[in-house]
Amino acid sequence: MSNQPKSMHQIRQVLEHLSRGTSINKIAGLLNMSRNTVKDYRDKFLMTGVTFIQLLEHNEIELSLLIRSKPPSLT
């Protein structure tokens, strides 16, 4: 299995489906991704503290920065 990064278009598609309440399994099937990949992106979206709808309002650069930045450490 390849572990290639997903394009911003694919990431945005995951986000759009999540905002509609589509299940992880359904999204994975529709977008030809593993369930774990979809779950990973969902978790990254949730860690931002912003709703899926609000995340969709961000441009690609802002969205990329939000989901690719590391969360602050709790130490």
Side-chain angles (χ1 to χ4, degrees):
M1 301 279 164
S2 69
N3 196 12
Q4 297 177 349
K6 301 301 178 195
S7 70
M8 188 51 64
H9 176 73
Q10 290 172 306
I11 293 170
R12 197 170 278 281
Q13 285 182 307
V14 170
L15 187 54
E16 288 172 359
H17 284 289
L18 288 170
S19 72
R20 293 184 204 128
T22 308
S23 73
I24 299 290
N25 288 339
K26 180 85 172 181
I27 296 169
L30 289 169
L31 302 180
N32 197 28
M33 293 180 186
S34 75
R35 289 177 303 151
N36 285 336
T37 298
V38 176
K39 285 180 192 176
D40 288 345
Y41 280 112
R42 181 205 55 199
D43 292 345
K44 288 178 184 183
F45 297 144
L46 291 173
M47 284 193 309
T48 66
V50 180
T51 68
F52 298 140
I53 300 288
Q54 290 171 322
L55 285 171
L56 282 169
E57 295 172 0
H58 290 295
N59 65 40
E60 288 189 8
I61 295 170
E62 293 168 336
L63 185 57
S64 178
L65 290 171
L66 280 170
I67 64 170
R68 291 197 168 106
S69 63
K70 295 182 179 179
S73 66
L74 298 174
T75 58

